[in-house]
Amino acid sequence: MMLGKKSIISLLSIIAVLIWAVSIWWGWMPSAYNVQQKTTETAQINNHKMVSGYTTTSTLIDVTDWLINKPGGFLANDMTPPGIFMDNMPAFEYGALEQTRDLALAMRLDFSRSQSQSTGDKDLEIAQSKLNISHTSWQLPSAESEYTDAINALKRYRTRLISETATDAQFYTRADNLGDWLREVEKRLGSISHRLSASVGHDRFNTALSGDPSAKQSTETASESMVKTSWWKIDDVFYESRGATWAILHFLKAVEIDFSDVLEKKNAQASLKQIIRDLESTQDPIWTPMILNGSGFGLLANHSLVMANYVSRANAALIDLRRLLEQG
């Protein structure tokens, strides 16, 4: 029996509402969680012993696992509704993913090695390489399958880390190792702050070669340029930044536990706690249905500038913390 015109419209309306409801569910942003409590529960469930590096490794596993097993799964490579129409959560995912890649690389090159000539850990090499597949890849191999392989490799490393007989897996809590990773986090936060601030256009002088009269660059660039994020990209930049700071927040909480002796010796616990507090502010609830982009001291708020303020404060404190760690 043929459906009437009204019936077709009603059916399409119901489908549209269902897709909208699912997109709301899938796009719900995660809250910050208690890293110490979560890691302790993981250790108890798996009958693991808490050793140096266990919390950092477990947190990296947890954040990566969230990316692919949250409601809706990994959305950045979705080719079907509603995922293909969503942009806020995929931007959040990418921001968090970039930080997992950075930490995985730091674990492979720094945390797991005592000296520059020491041998790298094979499971960390696998995990780091698997995390670097394109986040939009949906064909074989898909991003999700590669990230799952990375999680499994990290779990194998964690199992060897707690083993009293397998001495090939190590995690060194040294001030120089921590400082190397923090330097990369600084660059990420600096870039995030700059992109967020560009929500309001401003003229910028070219300072790329400042401070070094002998410095050169490959191609000439203008001495002054207008920097401004396109209006249709502002929410993507905001949510990517929110995802990045969400991941960094949890990684720093893990570092606070694993590197507690180093931080205590440098009297740097308070500095790290302040950075964590500033990053927690980046995860405050958003009370408007869209990211506003007011200009200057206008009538509307500018959410990007508020986020940039929190990120800049955390970055400045992070620079001070790294310098403190480098002191003898």
Side-chain angles (χ1 to χ4, degrees):
M1 184 173 64
M2 297 292 292
L3 292 174
K5 184 177 180 180
K6 291 185 177 179
S7 299
I8 294 175
I9 294 176
S10 299
L11 179 61
L12 293 176
S13 299
I14 293 173
I15 293 174
V17 170
L18 289 175
I19 291 176
W20 174 79
V22 171
S23 67
I24 294 294
W25 177 36
W26 287 5
W28 201 262
M29 299 294 163
S31 302
Y33 64 87
N34 188 315
V35 168
Q36 185 172 19
Q37 180 181 344
K38 180 72 165 59
T39 306
T40 301
E41 291 174 354
T42 299
Q44 291 175 347
I45 292 172
N46 295 284
N47 196 26
H48 286 168
K49 180 176 63 175
M50 300 281 286
V51 298
S52 296
Y54 187 89
T55 302
T56 300
T57 305
S58 297
T59 304
L60 178 57
I61 292 172
D62 291 339
V63 171
T64 309
D65 181 75
W66 174 86
L67 285 171
I68 60 178
N69 291 316
K70 67 182 186 305
F74 192 67
L75 300 178
N77 62 351
D78 269 15
M79 302 300 292
T80 57
I84 195 173
F85 300 125
M86 300 173 64
D87 59 351
N88 292 344
M89 180 53 78
F92 187 101
E93 291 173 346
Y94 183 69
L97 176 62
E98 285 282 85
Q99 308 315 310
T100 66
R101 290 170 172 172
D102 286 350
L103 181 55
L105 181 61
M107 290 182 62
R108 173 184 175 182
L109 297 182
D110 298 313
F111 295 160
S112 64
R113 304 172 68 203
S114 59
Q115 303 292 336
S116 61
Q117 300 299 320
S118 58
T119 304
D121 189 275
K122 292 184 178 180
D123 281 326
L124 291 181
E125 291 177 4
I126 293 172
Q128 188 265 330
S129 61
K130 293 288 186 180
L131 284 171
N132 277 278
I133 188 176
S134 172
H135 66 294
T136 59
S137 176
W138 59 275
Q139 296 176 322
L140 297 176
S142 66
E144 293 96 324
S145 65
E146 294 292 276
Y147 300 157
T148 300
D149 290 343
I151 291 173
N152 292 333
L154 289 169
K155 288 182 177 179
R156 291 195 300 270
Y157 166 75
R158 186 177 64 182
T159 300
R160 291 188 293 112
L161 195 64
I162 65 174
S163 174
E164 295 180 355
T165 57
T167 58
D168 57 330
Q170 296 291 342
F171 188 99
Y172 298 98
T173 56
R174 297 159 47 122
D176 56 345
N177 288 349
L178 178 57
D180 289 338
W181 175 64
L182 292 180
R183 185 176 288 104
E184 298 306 314
V185 177
E186 286 174 22
K187 296 176 183 177
R188 290 293 188 185
L189 291 179
S191 175
I192 289 171
S193 178
H194 179 75
R195 294 178 65 199
L196 287 168
S197 299
S199 63
V200 176
H202 61 279
D203 292 323
R204 180 178 176 84
F205 287 103
N206 186 353
T207 59
L209 303 180
S210 298
D212 189 348
S214 62
K216 297 180 180 179
Q217 61 187 65
S218 56
T219 55
E220 292 293 330
T221 53
S223 60
E224 188 176 353
S225 60
M226 166 62 73
V227 179
K228 183 174 176 60
T229 302
S230 300
W231 67 271
W232 63 83
K233 290 291 185 180
I234 287 173
D235 62 333
D236 293 341
V237 172
F238 179 88
Y239 282 107
E240 181 183 330
S241 303
R242 194 170 170 92
T245 50
W246 177 81
I248 293 173
L249 168 64
H250 293 91
F251 295 155
L252 287 177
K253 287 182 177 180
V255 162
E256 183 182 19
I257 297 171
D258 280 332
F259 288 82
S260 58
D261 292 342
V262 173
L263 295 168
E264 183 179 0
K265 182 179 179 180
K266 298 289 186 177
N267 197 23
Q269 302 101 318
S271 299
L272 182 55
K273 288 183 182 296
Q274 184 59 51
I275 296 168
I276 290 173
R277 178 169 295 179
D278 287 334
L279 289 177
E280 285 176 338
S281 298
T282 67
Q283 305 303 307
D284 287 344
I286 302 172
W287 299 107
T288 59
M290 62 182 295
I291 301 304
L292 300 178
N293 186 42
S295 58
F297 298 107
L299 294 175
L300 297 179
N302 189 305
H303 292 128
S304 296
L305 291 184
V306 174
M307 176 75 83
N309 175 60
Y310 293 136
V311 172
S312 296
R313 282 164 45 187
N315 194 30
L318 198 66
I319 294 172
D320 291 339
L321 173 61
R322 179 178 56 80
R323 290 174 177 170
L324 181 60
L325 292 172
E326 290 175 349
Q327 295 175 1

